[in-house]
Amino acid sequence: MSSRRHGPPCTIVIKLGSSSIVHETTHQPLLSTLSSVVETVVNLRSKGHKVVLVSSGAIAVGLKRMELPSRPKNLSGKQALAAIGQGRLIALWDNLFGQLGQPIAQVLLTRGDISDRTRYLNAVNTFKELLHMGVVPIVNENDTVSVSEIKFGDNDTLSAITSSMIHADYLFLLTDVDGLYTSNPRKDPDAKLIQVVDSISAIRSQGKSFFDQFPTEVSCIVSVSTTTLGSSLGTGGMETKIIAAEIATAAGVSTVILSSKRPENISNIIQYYDRGSSKTPQDNGGPSHSKPSSGPNSVNPSRSSSPTPLIRPLHTIFTASPSPMRDLKSWTTHTLFPSGSVIIDTGAHHVLSRRESGGRLLAAGVTGVIGAFASGQAVRIVIRRYPDGTASETADREAAYTKGLEGTRPTTPTMHTLSRSPSSAGLEETSTLEEPGLSMDDVVEVGRGLANYNSAQILRVKGLNSSYLPQTLGYADSDLADDIFTIATMYHNNSIRILTGNSHPELAQAVAERLNVPLVPVTVKNFSNGEINVKISESVRDEDVFIIQSGCSDVNDNLMELLILISACKTASARRITAVIPCFPYARMDKKDKSRAPITAKLVANMLTVAGCDHVITMDLHASQIQGFFDIPVDNLFSEPLMISYIKRNIPNWRECIIVSPDAGGAKRVTAIADKLNVEFALIHRARDGKSQSERMDLLVGDVKDKVAILVDDMIDTGNTLTLAARTLNEKGAKAVHALISHGLFSETNMSLIETLPIKELVVTNTIPQNVHASNCNKLVTIDISPTIAESIRRTHNGESISLLFGEWAEAREVPVI
């Protein structure tokens, strides 16, 4: 009997609250619930899923051990109980998982661990390695050393941050109810389950009177009860779960609330969405690559392995954001918790938004503070919502601030105080507001950072030149007398500017949405004689400009548009100009293969450089040596990780397949894919009959008989190579043929001919627009490369390595299909 086919593997975080682990009054472990959770986790692991368990309950287990009736009121008492219960709790988990042969690991985190970027990244790497080893990490807040009240939110917030750290597909919050209700189901028999939440903000903003207007089957949110569902053991409740869902969904993680009494529903829920329901998990964060259907209960029969309709398990799902925050922004937003705010003027704001500022904030740019905080604590960087002064005054402030920045020496931000007084010295004297009546409603947050001075000291030096700091703060004899007032900012004012011409506006829009930045309005017109006129409607002065333009369709017009846009940005004083060219034009003319033949790819490289391009990002160059035609940096991205991920998730029995190259030029490509999949490869030799001059193909290396042949190439234009290769593989006895090709030009391809070829599907990327082609060919599948392009832009802008896009991280991601 054949094994049941499951959906693509996911990364899953399961959070279990205290009330689900121990009895609320007797404090005895709920072994039946825990055993069910363990069996569910092991079952998920057997299907290829990666699972992280976030477990509460250390304090509750400590209560049982010490025979105490209730939680102590003071922090030290809770920490002591956590120390007692932590070891017993992990021993309980180890015993239960050990009976099924599943190894586990304990991961203890504090707010400080994830507030420090280095420790945060170390934790991410630890999670990655544990999951790679097949271990189930069990995460808990390290209550024993928490320096403040135990208030991660009964570990709900911790589970959300964990899911963001590991780029999870699902976060399951197990609680004592089946989901989110319109009122407390324990007290109100008329309470109704809300199935799908598309807007968390609507939960807090809409009134209960709206409920009668909306059925629970649609994605509308109404008044809910969030304050009555906590237990006496935990510190959370439904409100903390909504906060957790807000954090997780913003990072692209679909969040589910369900009952801990039926943990086996986790598998059913994953299967429900995988087999064609509303596809709530998003393209970049969930296990589905299909678009949502009309409702959460609808099922696409073509995606289902059985005609039997699926029953929707009881749960509430919070849909993941279609444009999730990337790792750095998510970290600064949700883990760098601010203790107060520093108000800066518009001049300092403009300077700090530039990379060369180094994130260093001088005292001259500060106008006040909101709240009291110590040195080393996180603070918000804010500006007034309605700044005073004219444009010329703002420019004068910016010039003065820049001059002051040049006259100081950069320092490494520290977590300790820079004065001789304690970090909190003078806090009781702090005036919490610069002006009476000023509040957070009057300011806008533009960044966050770690303060090197406390709020009292900042008020004393605000607006002063750095040379006055030693005498003002009273440490003239200190070695730090010449140091400047700095804040180690994670400044998230975004200076990425994305432009596009007429070649592929859909891809540019998708990239901009994933980066959460708007497209710069650009008008491209043609004069009557064919000349191109470009108008950029917004300033790009001193900005990091990325121009997305692909070499497709009218390739010459698109190339000229790109060159003119680069020149226009250059003369408009853009700080850096990056040409993002998903499909490089004239890439096939990369060598002099016969007499008097041009090397046009080199000419294109020269034109881009002369126009003013500083950097090029492209994908799957026809020949890698084209990078050597440039005297500027070139990043050649590969679709290979996307293809590997697609093969693993969408081609049945891929472990028995064979990777085939239609010509000798693609040998390196197919052998690399075959090695990573640990399968065989084959090469086809293309020859021409001497008498009839007709082309034919022969299998040069490999045996495809009774195997699934996966044909891999970098480009399809006329379709002749694909036609010959597919028929050759079919004649040689291939059980099935799949074609995966990077660039689908289809300039001379009869799309109806593809339908008649002996192939299951033709998979291409959207480096070229495929809307028209897809409408004429049912076998055409288009992979969306916008996540890869967006991530490369983000990393380029932040000065990060893009090598991660070529490794296991990229291959493990879900492949979004348009």
Side-chain angles (χ1 to χ4, degrees):
M1 185 176 68
S2 61
S3 60
R4 183 177 180 181
R5 182 183 175 187
H6 302 290
C10 305
T11 301
I12 301 165
V13 176
I14 301 174
K15 186 269 174 181
L16 202 62
S18 298
S19 60
S20 302
I21 294 177
V22 299
H23 192 276
E24 191 167 351
T25 55
T26 65
H27 303 157
Q28 288 282 2
L30 301 176
L31 294 180
S32 59
T33 300
L34 298 181
S35 298
S36 297
V37 171
V38 169
E39 291 175 1
T40 298
V41 172
V42 173
N43 180 44
L44 291 170
R45 289 273 304 117
S46 68
K47 296 178 181 178
H49 301 302
K50 299 177 180 178
V51 185
V52 174
L53 188 63
V54 179
S55 170
S56 301
I59 296 178
V61 173
L63 285 172
K64 173 60 180 175
R65 179 66 183 86
M66 300 306 296
E67 300 295 337
L68 296 177
S70 61
R71 292 165 59 100
K73 302 296 183 182
N74 60 322
L75 177 61
S76 59
K78 296 174 185 176
Q79 291 176 327
L81 285 177
I84 296 169
Q86 198 68 258
R88 300 177 69 87
L89 179 62
I90 197 65
L92 176 61
W93 283 120
D94 187 52
N95 180 46
L96 293 173
F97 276 104
Q99 294 180 24
L100 298 180
Q102 174 61 54
I104 66 169
Q106 184 179 28
V107 179
L108 296 176
L109 295 175
T110 65
R111 174 71 73 174
D113 291 326
I114 58 177
S115 293
D116 180 84
R117 182 65 177 171
T118 301
R119 291 153 70 187
Y120 173 88
L121 293 176
N122 286 339
V124 170
N125 292 332
T126 300
F127 277 122
K128 179 180 177 181
E129 187 64 26
L130 288 172
L131 293 174
H132 179 71
M133 295 168 63
V135 175
V136 174
I138 298 182
V139 186
N140 196 359
E141 181 180 6
N142 194 355
D143 300 335
T144 305
V145 297
S146 292
V147 295
S148 59
E149 186 63 31
I150 313 293
K151 56 181 181 182
F152 251 124
D154 201 37
N155 283 344
D156 290 322
T157 303
L158 178 59
S159 66
I161 293 174
T162 301
S163 67
S164 174
M165 292 169 70
I166 64 175
H167 303 287
D169 299 305
Y170 285 104
L171 168 61
F172 289 94
L173 301 174
L174 301 185
T175 183
D176 49 4
V177 291
D178 294 313
L180 186 65
Y181 282 81
T182 55
S183 60
N184 189 347
R186 293 172 176 169
K187 300 179 180 179
D188 185 2
D190 296 325
K192 298 182 180 180
L193 177 69
I194 298 172
Q195 294 184 347
V196 182
V197 176
D198 282 334
S199 173
I200 294 178
S201 60
I203 291 176
R204 301 183 178 93
S205 62
Q206 293 187 359
K208 189 174 182 179
S209 60
F210 287 96
F211 177 72
D212 294 334
Q213 303 177 33
F214 303 107
T216 58
E217 287 76 19
V218 296
S219 301
C220 297
I221 305 307
V222 295
S223 174
V224 295
S225 174
T226 62
T227 59
T228 59
L229 301 182
S231 71
S232 62
L233 291 175
T235 60
M238 193 58 70
E239 175 61 28
T240 63
K241 289 170 177 58
I242 293 176
I243 294 172
E246 193 168 20
I247 295 172
T249 55
V253 182
S254 297
T255 304
V256 179
I257 298 177
L258 73 160
S259 174
S260 60
K261 297 177 181 177
R262 289 179 289 273
E264 65 275 5
N265 276 344
I266 294 176
S267 296
N268 299 333
I269 291 170
I270 295 174
Q271 182 185 12
Y272 176 80
Y273 288 110
D274 176 67
R275 285 180 57 186
S277 73
S278 61
K279 296 300 173 190
T280 302
Q282 301 299 320
D283 290 347
N284 58 344
S288 168
H289 51 243
S290 300
K291 292 185 178 180
S293 57
S294 57
N297 289 320
S298 61
V299 176
N300 181 358
S302 65
R303 295 281 295 171
S304 177
S305 60
S306 170
T308 305
L310 290 174
I311 299 176
R312 187 186 194 275
L314 289 176
H315 69 278
T316 296
I317 187 164
F318 296 77
T319 59
S321 168
S323 303
M325 286 186 288
R326 305 318 305 164
D327 182 67
L328 181 62
K329 187 173 181 181
S330 178
W331 176 74
T332 58
T333 302
H334 297 303
T335 68
L336 198 61
F337 190 78
S339 301
S341 302
V342 176
I343 308 169
I344 63 174
D345 61 32
T346 51
H349 174 218
H350 290 164
V351 174
L352 280 172
S353 63
R354 305 171 190 166
R355 178 181 297 182
E356 56 266 27
S357 71
R360 296 183 293 132
L361 177 61
L362 305 185
V366 177
T367 63
V369 299
I370 299 178
F373 49 86
S375 65
Q377 288 188 307
V379 293
R380 298 181 184 90
I381 314 298
V382 300
I383 59 172
R384 291 177 180 273
R385 192 176 297 275
Y386 305 104
D388 299 328
T390 63
S392 61
E393 291 173 341
T394 298
D396 292 341
R397 293 173 186 166
E398 181 177 346
Y401 186 86
T402 303
K403 184 177 180 180
L405 192 64
E406 293 171 351
T408 61
R409 57 181 176 88
T411 60
T412 300
T414 58
M415 290 292 291
H416 57 76
T417 177
L418 295 183
S419 72
R420 289 180 174 178
S421 58
S423 65
S424 58
L427 288 182
E428 66 279 358
E429 303 172 3
T430 301
S431 173
T432 58
L433 300 176
E434 185 216 11
E435 294 179 359
L438 188 66
S439 69
M440 288 302 297
D441 295 332
D442 302 313
V443 295
V444 178
E445 180 179 342
V446 294
R448 291 187 182 184
L450 302 175
N452 284 339
Y453 294 85
N454 63 45
S455 52
Q457 293 168 326
I458 292 176
L459 281 178
R460 292 169 61 189
V461 301
K462 66 181 178 69
L464 296 181
N465 187 282
S466 299
S467 61
Y468 292 103
L469 263 64
Q471 61 197 63
T472 304
L473 295 179
Y475 52 82
D477 296 331
S478 171
D479 292 336
L480 300 173
D482 294 331
D483 207 344
I484 61 173
F485 172 71
T486 67
I487 286 186
T489 55
M490 289 293 174
Y491 211 75
H492 51 253
N493 183 60
N494 209 328
S495 62
I496 294 178
R497 308 292 277 172
I498 298 179
L499 288 71
T500 185
N502 291 326
S503 70
H504 205 338
E506 296 88 358
L507 177 62
Q509 183 62 45
V511 171
E513 289 176 356
R514 289 184 179 276
L515 291 171
N516 198 28
V517 297
L519 282 174
V520 175
V522 174
T523 303
V524 181
K525 294 183 178 180
N526 289 75
F527 291 116
S528 57
N529 65 348
E531 293 179 350
I532 297 173
N533 180 39
V534 169
K535 180 182 178 182
I536 303 174
S537 302
E538 292 181 2
S539 173
V540 294
R541 179 179 295 274
D542 203 38
E543 302 283 16
D544 198 1
V545 175
F546 295 83
I547 305 174
I548 301 177
Q549 187 83 337
S550 195
C552 56
S553 188
D554 299 323
V555 62
N556 294 321
D557 284 351
N558 291 332
L559 178 58
M560 279 306 301
E561 285 181 14
L562 174 60
L563 294 172
I564 295 172
L565 282 168
I566 292 172
S567 179
C569 292
K570 189 71 173 180
T571 55
S573 302
R575 170 160 50 91
R576 180 176 61 179
I577 303 170
T578 300
V580 182
I581 313 173
C583 182
F584 195 85
Y586 293 96
R588 286 173 286 184
M589 300 182 184
D590 59 332
K591 60 183 178 294
K592 190 173 181 178
D593 54 356
K594 55 186 176 180
S595 300
R596 296 172 296 282
I599 307 178
T600 316
K602 169 64 173 173
L603 176 62
V604 173
N606 291 341
M607 289 192 295
L608 289 169
T609 304
V610 172
C613 184
D614 301 306
H615 180 213
V616 172
I617 297 175
T618 187
M619 176 168 276
D620 280 337
L621 284 171
H622 185 68
S624 296
Q625 69 261 24
I626 294 177
Q627 297 176 81
F629 294 167
F630 290 87
D631 294 324
I632 58 176
V634 178
D635 288 321
N636 182 28
L637 307 178
F638 300 117
S639 62
E640 175 187 305
L642 294 175
M643 292 182 176
I644 291 174
S645 182
Y646 184 87
I647 290 171
K648 290 181 177 180
R649 287 168 167 77
N650 297 278
I651 298 182
N653 302 321
W654 61 267
R655 290 182 175 84
E656 302 173 4
C657 72
I658 184 169
I659 311 299
V660 184
S661 173
D663 53 46
K668 185 176 180 180
R669 183 184 305 108
V670 300
T671 53
I673 295 176
D675 287 344
K676 291 186 178 181
L677 292 174
N678 196 25
V679 298
E680 297 178 356
F681 70 91
L683 298 180
I684 294 178
H685 174 62
R686 187 171 183 173
R688 190 180 298 274
D689 192 295
K691 296 180 180 180
S692 63
Q693 291 297 305
S694 61
E695 289 186 317
R696 59 183 175 82
M697 285 188 172
D698 297 315
L699 201 59
L700 189 63
V701 176
D703 183 11
V704 300
K705 187 175 182 180
D706 296 328
K707 296 179 182 178
V708 176
I710 301 177
L711 194 65
V712 177
D713 204 356
D714 70 319
M715 187 178 297
I716 177 172
D717 193 357
T718 64
N720 292 335
T721 300
L722 174 65
T723 301
L724 288 171
R727 290 174 178 171
T728 300
L729 294 172
N730 188 54
E731 292 170 0
K732 297 296 183 180
K735 185 164 54 175
V737 179
H738 299 259
L740 276 69
I741 299 176
S742 301
H743 306 297
L745 298 177
F746 299 116
S747 59
E748 298 180 16
T749 304
N750 183 357
M751 298 305 295
S752 61
L753 178 63
I754 304 296
E755 295 282 356
T756 65
L757 293 179
I759 60 174
K760 292 286 187 180
E761 59 184 352
L762 171 57
V763 182
V764 298
T765 68
N766 63 334
T767 56
I768 308 291
Q770 301 295 341
N771 297 338
V772 176
H773 302 143
S775 63
N776 296 324
C777 180
N778 293 327
K779 291 184 178 180
L780 187 65
V781 177
T782 306
I783 294 176
D784 184 15
I785 62 164
S786 63
T788 303
I789 296 293
E791 184 67 10
S792 66
I793 290 175
R794 186 193 69 80
R795 289 179 173 273
T796 299
H797 174 68
N798 292 331
E800 301 174 22
S801 171
I802 66 168
S803 60
L804 190 67
L805 300 177
F806 309 138
E808 294 180 0
W809 177 87
E811 296 169 12
R813 303 296 291 172
E814 180 67 27
V815 180
V817 175
I818 300 175

